[in-house]
Amino acid sequence: MAKTIAIIDDEKNILLVEKALLQSKGYNVIALNSSMSAAEVITERQPDLVLMYIVMPGINGVELAYQLKTTPATKN
């Protein structure tokens, strides 16, 4: 079974390149262009790895990482 990677980046073109590259390597990819909805999607889909850009509008990557690490459903 292929591993799932969630990518969060507000730059659409970069997100598309990252998604294509990871899919070409056999990964399932969840591509998100907003940190605001990312926590809900990550909680629901439970990816094996989350890659995110740090500087994003709204919730930045550091805040989102803290939120994911302190939420019981996503802390592992």
Side-chain angles (χ1 to χ4, degrees):
M1 176 180 242
K3 299 287 185 177
T4 300
I5 299 175
I7 309 169
I8 308 159
D9 196 324
D10 63 328
E11 294 288 334
K12 185 177 180 180
N13 291 335
I14 293 172
L15 188 64
L16 292 173
V17 170
E18 293 168 333
K19 180 180 179 182
L21 177 65
L22 290 169
Q23 285 178 328
S24 75
K25 299 296 181 185
Y27 294 101
N28 294 321
V29 178
I30 303 166
L32 304 161
N33 65 355
S34 168
S35 60
M36 299 301 283
S37 61
E40 182 179 330
V41 173
I42 291 168
T43 300
E44 181 181 306
R45 304 269 309 268
Q46 295 286 309
D48 298 291
L49 177 68
V50 176
L51 301 174
M52 69 183 96
Y53 192 66
I54 297 296
V55 181
M56 292 185 285
I59 301 171
N60 69 41
V62 174
E63 292 167 337
L64 180 57
Y66 179 79
Q67 182 179 351
L68 293 172
K69 285 303 283 181
T70 57
T71 301
T74 57
K75 71 178 187 176
N76 293 328

